[in-house]
Amino acid sequence: MKKISLLGATGSIGQQTLEVIEQHPEQLVLVAMSIGENIELGRKIIQKFSPKLVSVKTKDTMETFKSEFPSDITFVYGDEGLIEVATYKDASVLLNAVVGSVGLFPTIRAIEAKKTIALANKETLVTAGHLVMEAAKKHGVSILPVDSEHSAIFQCLQGEYEKNIEKIILTASGGSFRDKTREELKDVTVADALNHPNWSMGAKITIDSATMMNKGLEVIEAHWLFNLPYEKIEVLLHKESIIHSMVEFHDGSIIAQLGTPDMKVPIQYAFSYPDRLPMPKSKERLKLWEIGKLHFSKLDFDRFTCLGFAYHAGRVGGTLPTVLNAANEEAVAGFLQGRISFLEIEEVIEDALEKHEVIKNPGLETIHQVDQETRFYVQTLLAKK
């Protein structure tokens, strides 16, 4: 029986994680979790799964829940509450499914507490990959990828030697606007951007998919997860999202992982690794004869400028990926609020990157400071729009 702590239980990945846990009651149990602003959904999850520890966003919500639920459930709140869930003594695995850099500190603390990390929060490695991987090595902790692309690569590498890798190939659906020209992007709406053709994801990740920043963040994440230089990380447009990623070896062989677009597969694999658990018979299986054809094309960095920003930030390193991530989070929030246009997301990110003076080998305190400074700077830009 694996005991699971879950950060971000009410989000898209969190909800699918709960489905996986529910499907395997003899192998998996939820013992601790955090919720955000969706209090009503959080209430239903507590009633259904009865975790021992729950973190909520505010003190008021904590007091409300304390009055509603039995005393054997402990309630905490805020940033410290996230850390308490991440390090909960009875849990053996932490699945970090929160969105944004808020996931960094709980991950570090969970590593120090020697929890296995199932990582869906890519911003953790983007902002502080050097610190996270150093900590994981120091404490002998496994970091298991939950992103579909990184899980695919991880699966392709089982039984292989790192020295034989020629390159890894991340596939990208292209997002909501993959067939639009830059001219056609000038007047797209938030509703347009949130209409992803293949995947069901949260709002922020769906917008990141449309700008291709999501893939850029995954490039940086892959650099840290698989210890590869950026020259060995390629992105390929694949509209069907059937091949989730590939590894090319120096003998010319390419191994790919295929499946339907379903995040429950990588979530479940992270929980069951190195074994595999069965999926319900009712789950749709991949039928290649129904798909018929798979399409691929090279990425145009002039069309998808955010992907270029990510490669640049990753190669420069230091605090620049932190700036990239923080500027993107604030810019996407501005777009979702109707404060800027879709293409202005890129302008805001580029402005923040150009302004920043890079600090090499930053510690956690410096990363936090740069993150906050970048957010403040972007907010001033948004206020002028």
Side-chain angles (χ1 to χ4, degrees):
M1 175 73 72
K2 287 189 178 179
K3 298 181 178 180
I4 311 297
S5 285
L6 172 61
L7 294 180
T10 54
S12 174
I13 298 297
Q15 285 293 284
Q16 293 175 85
T17 298
L18 294 173
E19 288 183 44
V20 170
I21 292 172
E22 190 174 15
Q23 288 165 358
H24 299 284
E26 295 183 1
Q27 290 87 10
L28 306 170
V29 61
L30 180 73
V31 295
M33 71 176 206
S34 78
I35 67 171
E37 296 180 355
N38 195 337
I39 295 171
E40 187 53 42
L41 179 55
R43 181 180 281 113
K44 291 177 180 177
I45 295 170
I46 297 168
Q47 291 168 346
K48 187 171 188 177
F49 288 88
S50 299
K52 296 300 182 184
L53 175 67
V54 178
S55 176
V56 296
K57 195 166 186 178
T58 68
K59 187 176 182 180
D60 286 346
T61 302
M62 179 185 74
E63 296 299 338
T64 298
F65 278 1
K66 277 184 175 180
S67 68
E68 293 181 11
F69 291 99
S71 58
D72 61 343
I73 300 178
T74 300
F75 290 94
V76 292
Y77 74 98
D79 291 342
E80 287 301 315
L82 292 178
I83 292 173
E84 287 192 51
V85 170
T87 59
Y88 185 57
K89 59 181 176 59
D90 288 346
S92 57
V93 180
L94 166 69
L95 196 151
N96 186 342
V98 294
V99 176
S101 58
V102 68
L104 172 58
F105 283 90
T107 301
I108 291 286
R109 299 296 174 250
I111 291 171
E112 292 170 349
K114 298 186 182 301
K115 309 296 183 184
T116 296
I117 308 297
L119 191 62
N121 172 258
K122 58 179 60 66
E123 293 86 357
T124 289
L125 289 179
V126 170
T127 57
H130 62 298
L131 297 177
V132 173
M133 299 312 289
E134 284 173 10
K137 183 177 180 180
K138 176 181 177 181
H139 294 283
V141 166
S142 296
I143 297 183
L144 304 174
V146 171
D147 270 347
S148 62
E149 296 82 0
H150 300 99
S151 176
I153 294 166
F154 183 66
Q155 293 179 59
C156 290
L157 288 174
Q158 295 307 302
E160 301 290 346
Y161 295 107
E162 183 179 314
K163 66 182 180 65
N164 295 336
I165 300 172
E166 183 74 18
K167 63 182 175 182
I168 60 177
I169 304 166
L170 299 170
T171 55
S173 69
S176 314
F177 304 137
R178 62 193 179 195
D179 297 318
K180 291 186 180 294
T181 65
R182 292 190 67 79
E183 184 65 27
E184 292 171 326
L185 291 174
K186 289 182 178 178
D187 299 316
V188 297
T189 67
V190 172
D192 294 333
L194 291 175
N195 186 26
H196 195 284
N198 299 347
W199 294 92
S200 174
M201 304 179 291
K204 193 265 184 184
I205 298 175
T206 304
I207 302 302
D208 281 351
S209 179
T211 64
M212 203 62 81
M213 179 59 84
N214 194 49
K215 203 57 51 178
L217 299 179
E218 288 174 6
V219 166
I220 299 174
E221 187 180 10
H223 164 74
W224 292 112
L225 281 171
F226 305 111
N227 191 34
L228 291 172
Y230 288 95
E231 292 70 27
K232 289 192 172 188
I233 305 172
E234 184 177 305
V235 178
L236 192 64
L237 191 63
H238 170 46
K239 294 182 178 181
E240 292 84 5
S241 297
I242 296 300
I243 293 180
H244 297 140
S245 279
M246 299 173 267
V247 178
E248 180 177 337
F249 298 92
H250 63 190
D251 64 357
S253 299
I254 296 178
I255 296 179
Q257 190 264 340
L258 288 72
T260 57
D262 185 348
M263 281 303 300
K264 290 191 286 294
V265 175
I267 291 168
Q268 183 170 290
Y269 187 68
F271 286 156
S272 65
Y273 175 80
D275 199 359
R276 290 181 185 268
L277 293 172
M279 277 288 185
K281 295 296 183 182
S282 59
K283 179 191 177 296
E284 182 184 358
R285 266 27 182 204
L286 178 62
K287 299 179 179 67
L288 285 174
W289 63 89
E290 292 183 356
I291 303 296
K293 295 180 180 179
L294 299 177
H295 299 85
F296 306 92
S297 57
K298 299 189 75 171
L299 261 297
D300 181 351
F301 280 71
D302 291 327
R303 165 63 178 81
F304 297 104
T305 57
C306 282
L307 183 59
F309 293 160
Y311 268 101
H312 170 68
R315 288 187 174 110
V316 172
T319 49
L320 201 59
T322 300
V323 173
L324 175 84
N325 180 70
N328 179 64
E329 286 186 20
E330 295 300 319
V332 169
F335 171 67
L336 289 170
Q337 295 160 7
R339 300 170 67 187
I340 59 174
S341 70
F342 182 76
L343 288 179
E344 284 179 312
I345 294 174
E346 299 172 358
E347 296 176 14
V348 168
I349 295 169
E350 186 172 22
D351 193 320
L353 291 173
E354 290 179 348
K355 173 185 176 292
H356 182 65
E357 294 185 11
V358 177
I359 302 169
K360 292 294 184 182
N361 299 313
L364 275 177
E365 185 175 334
T366 298
I367 288 171
H368 179 68
Q369 181 180 345
V370 169
D371 178 270
Q372 295 303 303
E373 289 173 352
T374 301
R375 292 176 192 277
F376 178 78
Y377 177 70
V378 171
Q379 285 296 327
T380 63
L381 294 179
L382 296 179
K384 297 175 183 177
K385 297 290 185 181

